Amino acid sequence: KTNDERDAQATPDLLKGQQELSQQTNEETAKQILFNYLKDGSTDNDDTTKKKVNLVFEKIQTLKSRAAGSVQADNKPPDSSAEVKLLQEQRNELEKKVTELKKQLEEETKNQKSLTEAKEKTKADMTELQ
């Protein structure tokens, strides 16, 4: 299609309708859909149907607030005493590892010192032989 044909399809009244739809909130849209469903095949007048729609949405809001409250309760921080105990256990394990690593370091340092001394002695012995 050419640009002129596309522009002809977007008439001002269609654009206005799109703007009005985008300005409606999700709740208003849902209310309108529910109203249409309830009204279809019903002998109730519009006011009665609107009251029914509003009652349904009040129930939905109540359920939403209850659900939000239970989610907040589920997200409460863990028991601090259990957390403290876990952290203490981790600290004890880390302290044991540090102690082991210090011992290994001391042993390696002693071995290195012994090797260095042996190397120097061998070097001195070689110098004497020459």
Side-chain angles (χ1 to χ4, degrees):
K1 293 181 178 180
T2 65
N3 286 338
D4 292 337
E5 288 175 356
R6 272 189 242 126
D7 290 342
Q9 290 177 349
T11 60
D13 58 331
L14 286 177
L15 292 174
K16 182 180 178 191
Q18 287 176 348
Q19 288 172 348
E20 287 173 358
L21 280 177
S22 65
Q23 289 173 354
Q24 281 186 331
T25 65
N26 290 337
E27 184 177 311
E28 290 170 340
T29 304
K31 281 183 177 182
Q32 187 62 46
I33 291 168
L34 185 58
F35 177 85
N36 290 337
Y37 279 122
L38 291 175
K39 190 66 180 160
D40 188 29
S42 173
T43 57
D44 294 340
N45 62 22
D46 285 355
D47 290 337
T48 305
T49 305
K50 284 179 185 176
K51 286 178 186 177
K52 288 180 181 179
V53 168
N54 288 329
L55 281 172
V56 168
F57 270 83
E58 284 177 30
K59 297 276 186 192
I60 290 172
Q61 292 300 334
T62 303
L63 292 172
K64 275 186 183 179
S65 63
R66 283 185 193 165
S70 69
V71 166
Q72 287 175 353
D74 291 345
N75 289 338
K76 69 180 179 181
D79 183 20
S80 60
S81 62
E83 190 175 350
V84 167
K85 185 178 179 182
L86 178 66
L87 289 172
Q88 286 174 338
E89 290 173 4
Q90 289 175 345
R91 180 180 177 186
N92 291 339
E93 288 176 24
L94 289 172
E95 286 176 349
K96 286 179 185 177
K97 286 182 182 179
V98 167
T99 303
E100 289 175 26
L101 289 172
K102 282 182 179 179
K103 286 180 184 177
Q104 286 179 1
L105 180 60
E106 286 176 20
E107 288 177 26
E108 290 295 323
T109 304
K110 286 179 187 177
N111 289 342
Q112 188 68 32
K113 187 176 180 182
S114 297
L115 287 173
T116 304
E117 289 172 357
K119 182 180 174 185
E120 288 175 4
K121 184 179 181 206
T122 304
K123 189 176 181 181
D125 289 345
M126 293 292 283
T127 308
E128 284 179 25
L129 289 174
Q130 289 178 351

